Amino acid sequence: MELKELTTLDEMLSHIDAIRHLYPNITEERYSTYLSQMIPHNYKQLVVYDGEIVAGITGFWQGVKLWSGPYMEIDNFVVAPDYRRTGVGTLMTDYINKKAEELDLNMIVLDAYVENFKAHRFYYNQGYAQRGYHFIKILNEDRLTK
């Protein structure tokens, strides 16, 4: 397995099929628009390759909040169905952990859907703890990526 950080729009766009495991209906136009807004805010992606196959992909970015100080956020964590339970997810979280430690960040945060119990178990096994609730108020459901 090979891990690679992606930093450019073109690199990220070339892996839209991997993102579609999570968001099957995302269009290239929407993906490009959102990435173009995210990349200037330190957004990067990590890809795990098995030869030419994308076994896993996740976004990550740095931020600072008053309550936490500097942190790393994992965003859109995807392991391809054929690679689940093979260690690919752990490769990605280990990489993010190391990166956050090198940057001297205080914590790593992520969101997981309430009903995604398999993800919850995985994150608990990786040392993550549930700290609170992520509340949302949808203002325009038609613009959500589903």
Side-chain angles (χ1 to χ4, degrees):
M1 299 284 179
E2 177 190 350
L3 284 78
K4 181 181 178 188
E5 270 189 41
L6 309 181
T7 58
T8 70
L9 180 62
D10 288 340
E11 289 175 313
M12 292 178 197
L13 286 174
S14 71
H15 294 84
I16 190 170
D17 289 337
I19 293 296
R20 284 185 173 138
H21 290 294
L22 188 60
Y23 303 113
N25 299 319
I26 194 166
T27 64
E28 189 168 331
E29 179 183 8
R30 178 172 284 184
Y31 191 46
S32 178
T33 297
Y34 288 170
L35 288 174
S36 294
Q37 294 171 30
M38 296 161 70
I39 291 168
H41 297 282
N42 298 316
Y43 181 80
K44 297 177 183 167
Q45 288 180 337
L46 173 66
V47 178
V48 178
Y49 295 101
D50 180 11
E52 298 292 315
I53 297 169
V54 175
I57 188 168
T58 188
F60 64 97
W61 40 8
Q62 282 181 252
V64 178
K65 293 186 179 185
L66 292 176
W67 74 274
S68 67
Y71 68 94
M72 178 81 64
E73 181 170 357
I74 294 174
D75 202 12
N76 304 309
F77 195 92
V78 180
V79 176
D82 291 345
Y83 288 89
R84 292 179 186 156
R85 302 187 63 83
T86 67
V88 168
T90 300
L91 282 174
M92 292 193 297
T93 56
D94 287 351
Y95 184 94
I96 298 293
N97 289 348
K98 184 178 177 190
K99 185 96 174 167
E101 288 171 358
E102 288 171 358
L103 294 168
D104 198 28
L105 304 179
N106 294 343
M107 67 176 59
I108 302 168
V109 302
L110 59 87
D111 288 329
Y113 291 119
V114 173
E115 66 276 1
N116 192 346
F117 299 112
K118 289 179 182 179
H120 300 173
R121 184 174 53 244
F122 172 76
Y123 294 126
Y124 285 135
N125 288 335
Q126 298 302 308
Y128 291 82
Q130 186 177 357
R131 172 64 187 219
Y133 295 98
H134 186 98
F135 289 94
I136 64 170
K137 181 178 182 179
I138 297 172
L139 301 176
N140 188 333
E141 190 166 348
D142 294 337
R143 291 193 307 222
L144 298 179
T145 303
K146 299 173 184 171

